[in-house]
Amino acid sequence: MCGMVTQARRSRRDETERTDGSSVLIGALAPLTRPGWAEAGRHLLAGLELAVHDVNEAGGIGGRPLELVVRDTAADPVRAAAAVDELARLGVAALAGEYHSVVARAAAARADALGLPFLCSSAVLDALTEQPTERVARIAPAQSHGWRLYADFLLGAGHRRVAVAAEPSVYWASGTRILRDRLAPRGATVTALDLRALAPAAVCDALAAHRATALLLLAGHPEPAVPIVRSVRRDRRLAGITIGAPAGQPEFHEWATALGEDGAAIPFLRYLPERLTPLGDRVGTALRERLAEAPSFVAFEGYDTVAVLADVLRPHGGDRARTAASWARVAVDGTRGRIRFSRTPGTGVWQWEWAPVQVVDRDPAEPGRFRVLHTG
């Protein structure tokens, strides 16, 4: 954790510092401390920083260096909105980043109100803004797209009795609704288990009573997801059940460290193609060196975010209005494919339609290796 915070401090300006105009500034939002998913934030920041380095190596923005001004959101929407206000005062040309959907939604609303372009890297909640806006765009696919594919995977695997163990959240409630809408017309039932009321042992009792064949964890990591996984794995009544985590918790090293073999064979959504582009191969190697571990899809999302912003900033420097008007003209070769934006119904923002989507899990025989189970 100390190394992660130090890295963030190297990238950020002091709150009282003002730019002299020599750099083009991008405000970067990421969860770098608890209760945010700090490991995801670290990967996101690594991708953002590597892309800034590459842009500057190639001449920057019209000869001016690109610079990140990093703020830790800690998964707090109020803190994120305040950070957007601060970054706007510091003169950033655009905002980038964020992982948590509810936090990104708060940041997007504030950025839109201030006329500040925001390219969201990883948050997937469909309605990223309450009202349609021209100022906000997104690299990650909308939740409804990815989670419908996940539901299709469950149906293809023969699951017709699905339980959802969820915490209270707009994001988790949206995910439950998407899954139910996709599964129910095809003959599957979805039973909701409220984690505010149920301890891990009670979750196991409910699964056995409902004869569920799949349990989807729509819950935070490590608590309460890790204790639930351990309890289910040790309950003989549930020996044949599939545990799933569509939000992607098993992607990260922290999950494997906490659960070991128990964390394998838990399918989740990952936004990577079968093969990275040549740029993606090079970036993946560099990210591995920065992170001292395999980069997650979140790190690639961070890199692609800055690659797009550099492309829209080059013609007109840091002009916010012109940047916000440029999403429709984007055509950038990213790490995972050609990036173009369109207006996707139900999102209210400019959307890359679509980033590649996979359902993967960790191989029980080799938990450090991922198996691709379904693509879309």
Side-chain angles (χ1 to χ4, degrees):
M1 179 70 72
C2 291
M4 176 177 60
V5 174
T6 299
Q7 180 185 35
R9 286 174 179 163
R10 285 200 304 266
S11 304
R12 68 179 61 162
R13 291 173 176 267
D14 184 82
E15 292 183 5
T16 61
E17 186 178 348
R18 293 296 183 268
T19 177
D20 60 5
S22 61
S23 298
V24 177
L25 305 181
I26 292 178
L29 303 175
L32 299 174
T33 55
R34 297 291 185 191
W37 197 339
E39 189 175 8
R42 182 170 65 90
H43 279 237
L44 176 58
L45 183 58
L48 294 167
E49 289 183 330
L50 177 61
V52 166
H53 172 271
D54 288 354
V55 168
N56 289 336
E57 285 288 299
I61 306 299
R64 299 166 62 192
L66 197 59
E67 182 179 346
L68 286 183
V69 188
V70 180
R71 292 296 180 264
D72 173 19
T73 64
D76 183 343
V78 175
R79 182 168 173 171
V84 174
D85 284 342
E86 178 199 350
L87 292 166
R89 290 194 302 269
L90 288 173
V92 300
L95 290 177
E98 193 45 47
Y99 178 80
H100 296 286
S101 283
V102 175
V103 179
R105 189 170 65 165
R110 193 63 194 142
D112 188 37
L114 295 173
L116 188 58
F118 176 31
L119 181 52
C120 181
S121 301
S122 295
V124 299
L125 192 67
D126 278 42
L128 199 55
T129 57
E130 290 187 7
Q131 301 295 329
T133 175
E134 297 295 317
R135 298 185 181 95
V136 180
R138 175 165 52 191
I139 291 287
Q143 185 181 19
S144 58
H145 177 69
W147 287 48
R148 284 170 188 155
L149 288 169
Y150 193 92
D152 292 343
F153 158 73
L154 292 174
L155 292 167
H159 294 291
R160 296 297 184 274
R161 301 182 70 85
V162 178
V164 173
E167 292 182 297
S169 161
V170 172
Y171 175 63
W172 299 127
S174 172
T176 301
R177 184 172 59 254
I178 292 165
L179 292 167
R180 181 176 281 116
D181 289 348
R182 191 71 165 185
L183 293 170
R186 293 159 179 81
T189 60
V190 177
T191 300
L193 306 178
D194 187 348
L195 292 181
R196 292 173 298 181
L198 298 176
V203 170
C204 292
D205 291 341
L207 294 173
H210 289 289
R211 293 182 288 117
T213 63
L215 165 66
L216 305 187
L217 288 173
L218 309 191
H221 170 75
E223 299 288 341
V226 167
I228 293 173
V229 171
R230 287 178 177 148
S231 293
V232 172
R233 293 296 198 210
R234 284 156 180 72
D235 193 316
R236 293 183 180 179
R237 297 172 298 172
L238 307 175
I241 199 168
T242 293
I243 304 174
Q249 296 94 323
E251 168 81 6
F252 295 96
H253 181 72
E254 190 177 276
W255 174 274
T257 300
L259 284 165
E261 293 181 357
D262 284 346
I266 296 180
F268 64 94
L269 286 166
R270 181 171 69 164
Y271 306 125
L272 289 177
E274 183 178 354
R275 291 183 180 276
L276 292 168
T277 66
L279 171 64
D281 286 334
R282 179 182 66 76
V283 167
T285 299
L287 285 170
R288 183 181 289 271
E289 292 176 359
R290 281 179 173 253
L291 293 163
E293 63 187 22
S296 69
F297 68 85
V298 177
F300 290 100
E301 287 175 328
Y303 189 97
D304 286 341
T305 300
V306 170
V308 169
L309 283 177
D311 182 73
V312 299
L313 287 169
R314 284 191 182 100
H316 39 70
D319 187 286
R320 293 174 178 176
R322 292 183 180 180
T323 297
S326 298
W327 305 125
R329 297 191 293 274
V330 167
V332 173
D333 290 323
T335 61
R336 297 163 297 147
R338 186 79 161 168
I339 300 172
R340 297 179 184 273
F341 294 107
S342 62
R343 301 295 290 186
T344 302
T347 65
V349 303
W350 286 94
Q351 174 75 55
W352 179 17
E353 188 182 354
W354 295 105
V357 179
Q358 299 173 332
V359 178
V360 305
D361 70 359
R362 290 182 176 271
D363 189 341
E366 188 181 343
R369 189 178 76 87
F370 294 107
R371 304 182 299 184
V372 177
L373 308 176
H374 186 73
T375 59

